[in-house]
Amino acid sequence: FRSNQPAADAQTSAASWFNSNNYQTIEQRGAHGAPRCQLLYFKNPFTICSSASFQPLPGLNIYAATKAFLTRYTRALRWEVADRGIKVTAVCPGWIKTEFMEVARRTKNADAVRHFTLLAQRPEAVAAWALTMNGLGLAVATCGPIALVQRLGAKVLPSCVTMAAWEGLRRV
Protein backbone atom coordinates (compact mmCIF):
# COMPACT_ATOMS: atom_id res chain seq x y z
CA PHE A 1 0.00 0.00 0.00
CA ARG A 2 1.76 3.10 -1.19
CA SER A 3 0.42 6.03 -3.11
CA ASN A 4 1.41 9.36 -4.51
CA GLN A 5 -1.06 11.18 -2.24
CA PRO A 6 0.16 13.94 0.08
CA ALA A 7 1.51 12.46 3.33
CA ALA A 8 -1.48 13.48 5.48
CA ASP A 9 -3.98 12.00 2.99
CA ALA A 10 -1.90 8.85 2.59
CA GLN A 11 -1.75 8.39 6.37
CA THR A 12 -5.51 8.81 6.65
CA SER A 13 -6.09 6.36 3.81
CA ALA A 14 -3.66 3.86 5.27
CA ALA A 15 -5.22 4.19 8.71
CA SER A 16 -8.71 3.56 7.38
CA TRP A 17 -7.32 0.62 5.43
CA PHE A 18 -5.84 -0.83 8.64
CA ASN A 19 -9.20 -0.39 10.34
CA SER A 20 -11.12 -2.12 7.60
CA ASN A 21 -11.35 -5.85 7.19
CA ASN A 22 -9.94 -5.55 3.68
CA TYR A 23 -6.38 -6.35 4.70
CA GLN A 24 -7.53 -9.50 6.51
CA THR A 25 -9.46 -10.59 3.44
CA ILE A 26 -6.44 -10.01 1.20
CA GLU A 27 -4.26 -12.10 3.51
CA GLN A 28 -6.83 -14.86 3.86
CA ARG A 29 -7.42 -15.07 0.12
CA GLY A 30 -3.83 -14.90 -1.02
CA ALA A 31 -1.43 -12.49 0.64
CA HIS A 32 1.26 -13.59 -1.75
CA GLY A 33 -0.65 -12.02 -4.63
CA ALA A 34 -1.23 -8.61 -3.04
CA PRO A 35 2.39 -7.35 -3.19
CA ARG A 36 2.71 -8.47 -6.82
CA CYS A 37 -0.46 -6.54 -7.69
CA GLN A 38 0.96 -3.50 -5.92
CA LEU A 39 4.05 -3.65 -8.15
CA LEU A 40 1.84 -2.58 -11.04
CA TYR A 41 0.78 0.64 -9.31
CA PHE A 42 3.29 1.61 -6.63
CA LYS A 43 7.03 2.17 -6.75
CA ASN A 44 7.76 0.87 -3.25
CA PRO A 45 4.90 -1.32 -2.00
CA PHE A 46 4.69 -2.83 1.45
CA THR A 47 2.89 -5.68 3.13
CA ILE A 48 1.44 -5.67 6.62
CA CYS A 49 3.07 -8.52 8.45
CA SER A 50 3.41 -8.62 12.24
CA SER A 51 5.95 -8.83 15.01
CA ALA A 52 4.31 -12.24 15.57
CA SER A 53 6.30 -13.36 12.53
CA PHE A 54 9.54 -13.29 14.53
CA GLN A 55 8.77 -16.14 16.94
CA PRO A 56 6.43 -19.08 17.54
CA LEU A 57 3.45 -18.01 19.64
CA PRO A 58 1.54 -20.71 21.55
CA GLY A 59 -2.17 -19.96 21.36
CA LEU A 60 -1.68 -17.92 18.19
CA ASN A 61 0.48 -20.38 16.28
CA ILE A 62 -1.40 -20.32 12.96
CA TYR A 63 -1.48 -16.52 12.99
CA ALA A 64 2.26 -16.32 13.77
CA ALA A 65 3.11 -18.92 11.12
CA THR A 66 1.16 -17.13 8.38
CA LYS A 67 2.78 -13.82 9.34
CA ALA A 68 6.22 -15.49 9.23
CA PHE A 69 5.40 -16.72 5.73
CA LEU A 70 4.33 -13.24 4.66
CA THR A 71 7.46 -11.61 6.11
CA ARG A 72 9.76 -14.10 4.36
CA TYR A 73 7.78 -13.86 1.14
CA THR A 74 8.06 -10.06 1.18
CA ARG A 75 11.81 -10.21 1.77
CA ALA A 76 12.26 -12.64 -1.14
CA LEU A 77 10.05 -10.52 -3.40
CA ARG A 78 12.22 -7.52 -2.53
CA TRP A 79 15.24 -9.35 -3.98
CA GLU A 80 13.31 -10.42 -7.07
CA VAL A 81 12.35 -6.86 -8.02
CA ALA A 82 15.43 -5.00 -6.77
CA ASP A 83 16.93 -4.78 -10.26
CA ARG A 84 13.89 -2.69 -11.27
CA GLY A 85 14.58 -0.19 -8.49
CA ILE A 86 11.61 -1.38 -6.42
CA LYS A 87 11.99 -1.80 -2.66
CA VAL A 88 9.29 -3.87 -0.99
CA THR A 89 8.97 -3.47 2.78
CA ALA A 90 7.58 -5.93 5.34
CA VAL A 91 5.85 -3.82 7.99
CA CYS A 92 5.89 -5.68 11.32
CA PRO A 93 3.92 -3.84 13.99
CA GLY A 94 2.91 -5.21 17.34
CA TRP A 95 -0.73 -5.05 18.33
CA ILE A 96 -2.86 -2.54 16.40
CA LYS A 97 -6.19 -1.26 17.68
CA THR A 98 -8.48 -2.89 15.11
CA GLU A 99 -11.59 -5.07 15.07
CA PHE A 100 -9.27 -8.09 15.21
CA MET A 101 -8.67 -7.47 18.90
CA GLU A 102 -12.37 -7.75 19.69
CA VAL A 103 -12.67 -10.89 17.59
CA ALA A 104 -9.64 -12.43 19.32
CA ARG A 105 -11.20 -11.74 22.72
CA ARG A 106 -14.17 -13.93 21.79
CA THR A 107 -12.15 -17.03 20.86
CA LYS A 108 -11.23 -20.00 23.01
CA ASN A 109 -7.71 -18.52 23.25
CA ALA A 110 -8.92 -15.15 24.52
CA ASP A 111 -6.37 -15.21 27.34
CA ALA A 112 -3.67 -14.92 24.66
CA VAL A 113 -4.65 -11.32 24.01
CA ARG A 114 -6.28 -9.95 27.16
CA HIS A 115 -3.31 -7.82 28.34
CA PHE A 116 -1.93 -6.87 24.97
CA THR A 117 -4.81 -4.60 24.09
CA LEU A 118 -3.31 -2.08 26.52
CA LEU A 119 -0.11 -2.01 24.44
CA ALA A 120 -1.84 -1.68 21.08
CA GLN A 121 -0.81 1.09 18.73
CA ARG A 122 -3.19 3.42 16.94
CA PRO A 123 -3.62 2.56 13.25
CA GLU A 124 -2.64 6.13 12.29
CA ALA A 125 0.70 5.81 14.10
CA VAL A 126 1.46 2.48 12.44
CA ALA A 127 0.45 3.86 9.03
CA ALA A 128 2.73 6.91 9.46
CA TRP A 129 5.63 4.68 10.54
CA ALA A 130 5.03 2.27 7.66
CA LEU A 131 5.00 5.06 5.09
CA THR A 132 8.16 6.61 6.54
CA MET A 133 10.13 3.35 6.71
CA ASN A 134 8.93 2.33 3.26
CA GLY A 135 10.01 5.72 1.93
CA LEU A 136 13.47 5.08 3.39
CA GLY A 137 13.55 1.76 1.54
CA LEU A 138 13.88 -0.52 4.56
CA ALA A 139 13.37 -4.25 4.03
CA VAL A 140 11.62 -4.71 7.40
CA ALA A 141 9.96 -1.97 9.40
CA THR A 142 9.41 -2.88 13.04
CA CYS A 143 6.84 -0.51 14.52
CA GLY A 144 7.29 0.43 18.15
CA PRO A 145 9.68 -0.50 20.96
CA ILE A 146 7.84 -3.67 22.00
CA ALA A 147 7.91 -5.08 18.47
CA LEU A 148 11.59 -4.15 18.19
CA VAL A 149 12.42 -5.98 21.44
CA GLN A 150 10.46 -8.98 20.19
CA ARG A 151 12.36 -8.94 16.89
CA LEU A 152 15.79 -8.62 18.50
CA GLY A 153 14.99 -11.14 21.23
CA ALA A 154 13.91 -13.72 18.66
CA LYS A 155 17.27 -13.31 16.90
CA VAL A 156 19.39 -14.02 19.97
CA LEU A 157 17.26 -16.25 22.18
CA PRO A 158 16.23 -19.86 21.55
CA SER A 159 12.59 -20.35 20.57
CA CYS A 160 11.85 -22.19 23.80
CA VAL A 161 12.88 -19.08 25.77
CA THR A 162 10.76 -16.69 23.69
CA MET A 163 7.77 -19.05 23.91
CA ALA A 164 8.17 -19.34 27.69
CA ALA A 165 8.34 -15.53 27.94
CA TRP A 166 5.18 -15.24 25.81
CA GLU A 167 3.38 -17.76 28.02
CA GLY A 168 4.51 -15.91 31.14
CA LEU A 169 3.25 -12.57 29.83
CA ARG A 170 -0.10 -14.05 28.79
CA ARG A 171 -0.72 -15.51 32.24
CA VAL A 172 0.02 -12.36 34.20
Side-chain angles (χ1 to χ4, degrees):
F1 181 89
R2 174 81 186 195
S3 73
N4 296 326
Q5 299 173 350
D9 292 341
Q11 287 176 16
T12 302
S13 296
S16 63
W17 186 70
F18 276 117
N19 279 322
S20 73
N21 288 326
N22 291 339
Y23 85 93
Q24 291 174 0
T25 302
I26 289 170
E27 290 178 2
Q28 291 166 354
R29 293 184 183 166
H32 60 283
R36 290 209 182 265
C37 292
Q38 291 177 11
L39 293 175
L40 300 173
Y41 302 102
F42 308 115
K43 179 158 176 64
N44 294 326
F46 60 84
T47 57
I48 304 303
C49 301
S50 172
S51 62
S53 69
F54 303 130
Q55 69 186 63
L57 296 175
L60 294 172
N61 53 6
I62 293 173
Y63 178 80
T66 57
K67 292 301 186 172
F69 160 77
L70 191 55
T71 300
R72 300 314 186 266
Y73 174 81
T74 302
R75 293 192 78 153
L77 180 61
R78 180 182 175 89
W79 278 91
E80 291 176 13
V81 298
D83 62 339
R84 297 183 355 212
I86 298 171
K87 295 177 180 167
V88 186
T89 301
V91 179
C92 298
W95 293 94
I96 302 175
K97 292 179 184 176
T98 65
E99 293 86 9
F100 173 77
M101 296 180 93
E102 290 305 316
V103 171
R105 285 183 182 169
R106 293 189 300 263
T107 68
K108 67 178 183 171
N109 292 320
D111 62 328
V113 299
R114 70 179 162 180
H115 297 306
F116 297 100
T117 56
L118 301 172
L119 305 172
Q121 297 173 293
R122 293 179 308 108
E124 299 82 6
V126 174
W129 184 258
L131 290 169
T132 300
M133 297 300 104
N134 180 257
L136 293 173
L138 294 182
V140 177
T142 309
C143 305
I146 295 170
L148 180 60
V149 167
Q150 190 175 2
R151 180 180 178 189
L152 296 176
K155 286 183 178 287
V156 298
L157 298 172
S159 293
C160 61
V161 173
T162 60
M163 286 189 289
W166 167 257
E167 281 296 307
L169 287 171
R170 290 190 334 154
R171 294 172 192 229
V172 171

